[in-house]
Structures are given as C-alpha cells and as structure tokens.
C-alpha cells in the first residue's frame, strides 16, 4: 500500500483515535472519521507489544496491509481509519485475519460493497 494511503503523523493518528467512532470484534478495533474532502481513504495500523515479539507484530501488520490492498475497491474513499490488533491475532491463519478484518470493517461502515 502506497504511503499516500497511510495515516503517518502522530497528530493525525490521535485525531482519528479521539474523534472517530469505534467498532470492535475479538481480534480488531477500528476507529473511523469521515473526511469528505479526501480523494481516497487513509489507514493507520497499530499492533501493540501484547501481540508478541517483533516478528509476530510485523507478520500481523503485513497481513492487515495485504487484506486492505485486496479490499481496496470496496473501501469507503472519504475517510481515515485506524486498525488496532488485539492479542491472539498472531496465531491466526492469513484467511482468518482477512475474515475478521472484513467483519469489523463492515461493523464500522467502512466497506461499501459486498465482498464476493
């Protein structure tokens, strides 16, 4: 995912975190804020140390980015959102990570089209 699709600055991350609406399931928490002036969505990914060591955290981040890249056409374009991983995600299969991510993105109303 290109850098223009990322929430990079700490202030932007905190704005989404404090002012955005949140939805969660057992594996992920998503905070989302509407940004009608934006051309495309931006995403921030947070994987804390409770997930595991650096290898496990990087594995989870890669799987989240991969899933979001595959879901790019179905994602709402005028928003910023943050995906926060919860403990237990590091032990899941790649397909399960995507499945649970789709579930929480639907709850957060970030997905616009049905997934085929």
């Amino acid at each position: 995912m290109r850098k223009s699709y990322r929430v990079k600055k700490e202030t932007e991350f905190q704005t989404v975190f404090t002012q955005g609406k949140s939805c969660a399931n057992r594996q992920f928490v998503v905070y989302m804020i509407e940004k009608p002036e934006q051309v495309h969505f931006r995403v921030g990914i947070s994987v804390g140390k409770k997930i595991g060591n650096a290898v496990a955290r990087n594995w989870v981040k890669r799987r989240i980015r991969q899933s979001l890249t595959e879901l790019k056409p179905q994602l709402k374009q005028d928003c910023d959102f943050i995906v926060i991983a919860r403990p237990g995600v590091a032990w899941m299969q790649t397909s399960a990570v995507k499945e649970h991510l789709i579930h929480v993105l639907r709850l957060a109303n970030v997905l616009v089209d049905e997934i085929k």
Side-chain angles (χ1 to χ4, degrees), residues 86-100:
R86 289 183 161 176
V89 175
W91 310 112
M92 294 170 45
Q93 299 273 334
T94 304
S95 59
V97 170
K98 183 177 179 182
E99 182 181 318
H100 289 286

Side-chain angles (χ1 to χ4, degrees), residues 73-109:
Q74 289 88 24
L75 292 171
K76 198 178 214 181
Q77 297 298 311
D78 59 347
C79 67
D80 283 355
F81 62 97
I82 297 171
V83 177
I84 301 172
R86 289 183 161 176
V89 175
W91 310 112
M92 294 170 45
Q93 299 273 334
T94 304
S95 59
V97 170
K98 183 177 179 182
E99 182 181 318
H100 289 286
L101 190 58
I102 288 171
H103 176 255
V104 75
L105 291 173
R106 278 192 183 129
L107 291 175
N109 204 18

Side-chain angles (χ1 to χ4, degrees), residues 13 17 23-31 44-48 51 60 64 81-87 89 101 104:
F13 194 93
F17 185 73
C23 288
N25 62 12
R26 290 180 184 225
Q27 287 71 29
F28 298 104
V29 179
V30 172
Y31 289 88
I45 299 172
S46 176
V47 180
I51 302 299
V60 171
I64 292 171
F81 62 97
I82 297 171
V83 177
I84 301 172
R86 289 183 161 176
V89 175
L101 190 58
V104 75

Side-chain angles (χ1 to χ4, degrees), residues 1-2 5-6 41 43 45 61-75 81 98 101 105:
M1 189 163 297
R2 292 188 327 222
Y5 283 91
R6 298 186 195 164
F41 70 89
V43 63
I45 299 172
K61 287 180 203 174
R62 277 195 305 273
R63 295 311 179 263
I64 292 171
R65 275 192 231 110
Q66 177 185 352
S67 297
L68 290 173
T69 301
E70 292 171 9
L71 296 170
K72 196 188 244 186
Q74 289 88 24
L75 292 171
F81 62 97
K98 183 177 179 182
L101 190 58
L105 291 173

